[in-house]
Amino acid sequence: MMVRGSATRARVIAIVLLMALLALAVAGPVLSPRAPFEQNLYAILQPPSLAEPLGTDHLGRSLFARVAAATRLSLGLAILCVLSAAVPGTLLGLLAAWRGGWAERLLSALADVVLALPGLLLVLLLAALAPGAMWPLYLGLSLVLWVEYFRVVRARAAVVLAGPQVEAARLLGFGAGYIAWRHLLPELAPVLRTLTSFGVGAAVLALAAMGFVGMGAQPPAAELGLMMTELLPYAAEAPWAIGAPVAVLACAMLALVLLGERVNGEAQ
């Protein structure tokens, strides 16, 4: 009962945090007093107030507007990257487990080649082709993340396909669609939800890291890592300024980790 209660509390916390971040991203442009790029050099590094709930940055821009835009960009791009990796990774994993033989060996070799390169290094190499553009980050993260889906789905599907239930379904004449829907999907769904949750968190952190080292979004764009880089020199003078993107990033990671652990616990 205590374990179930802890899992429920973790779920509630994760959902509340994600809903708050979603509300910030969606309602930010409506509630924000100014556009995220609008400067006011007469009001730089202003503390939070009724007019500016999170204060202003070193260029007098509204931190509330910029944090809302950064949340929308980071979470939106992270979710897109994970979906673009999950679909081909899952399908290729199913193909490898179903066909076996040369198809499995070829796909496994391709996955090993991708794994041989550090993930962030691959993203950095692609980001160097077009600094400041979003498509290299999207492409690089998708290429890195699909391997995990492929390996996990292939291993889990191979066990299910070798089981007596699938063997009996084949002997009874049921086709691939029935086997996939009746036997594979119930086994893979909890694992895929866990991978998706952790994958979004990893993508958010990677995007923030790219922005922090100057290889991601470029000024005047609003992105969590880029905002931390811009505001770091003013941390002692205006700690609330750099605290805003750090708090959003921390809340996003906490929510995704709690959600991923809860799903993983239910799957077990």
Side-chain angles (χ1 to χ4, degrees), residues 28-265:
V30 179
L31 301 177
S32 174
R34 291 187 291 156
F37 311 126
E38 183 182 344
Q39 299 183 14
N40 181 6
L41 298 181
Y42 293 101
I44 62 173
L45 298 178
Q46 294 295 308
S49 62
L50 291 178
E52 293 290 351
L54 297 179
T56 61
D57 66 2
H58 59 296
L59 296 176
R61 295 173 296 192
S62 172
L63 279 174
F64 181 84
R66 291 187 63 77
V67 166
T71 304
R72 190 162 54 251
L73 173 62
S74 296
L75 289 181
L77 188 57
I79 293 173
L80 182 61
C81 291
V82 169
L83 291 178
S84 299
V87 173
T90 301
L91 293 178
L92 291 176
L94 289 173
L95 175 63
W98 195 286
R99 296 295 299 272
W102 65 269
E104 183 178 11
R105 291 193 295 270
L106 179 62
L107 292 173
S108 298
L110 178 60
D112 291 339
V113 169
V114 176
L115 282 178
L117 288 174
L120 285 180
L121 177 60
L122 179 59
V123 177
L124 280 171
L125 291 175
L126 290 174
L129 299 177
M134 290 292 103
W135 68 264
L137 300 178
Y138 161 74
L139 180 61
L141 288 174
S142 299
L143 289 175
V144 170
L145 293 173
W146 78 271
V147 177
E148 188 173 5
Y149 289 89
F150 167 78
R151 292 167 66 89
V152 172
V153 169
R154 182 196 60 177
R156 194 67 173 261
V159 174
V160 176
L161 292 173
Q165 298 90 342
V166 174
E167 188 67 26
R170 286 172 171 169
L171 291 176
L172 291 173
F174 290 106
Y178 174 86
I179 293 174
W181 179 261
R182 181 67 179 82
H183 299 287
L184 284 175
L185 184 60
E187 291 291 332
L188 293 177
V191 179
L192 291 176
R193 288 198 299 267
T194 302
L195 288 178
T196 300
S197 180
F198 286 123
V200 172
V204 170
L205 277 181
L207 291 171
M210 293 297 102
F212 193 79
V213 299
M215 296 299 294
Q218 299 296 315
E223 192 273 329
L224 295 176
L226 178 60
M227 289 183 65
M228 288 186 279
T229 303
E230 292 178 332
L231 295 169
L232 186 60
Y234 310 96
E237 182 180 357
W240 63 84
I242 193 171
V246 170
V248 170
L249 183 60
C251 289
M253 293 307 303
L254 177 61
L256 292 168
V257 168
L258 289 177
L259 193 62
E261 289 182 348
R262 183 191 69 82
V263 173
N264 189 36

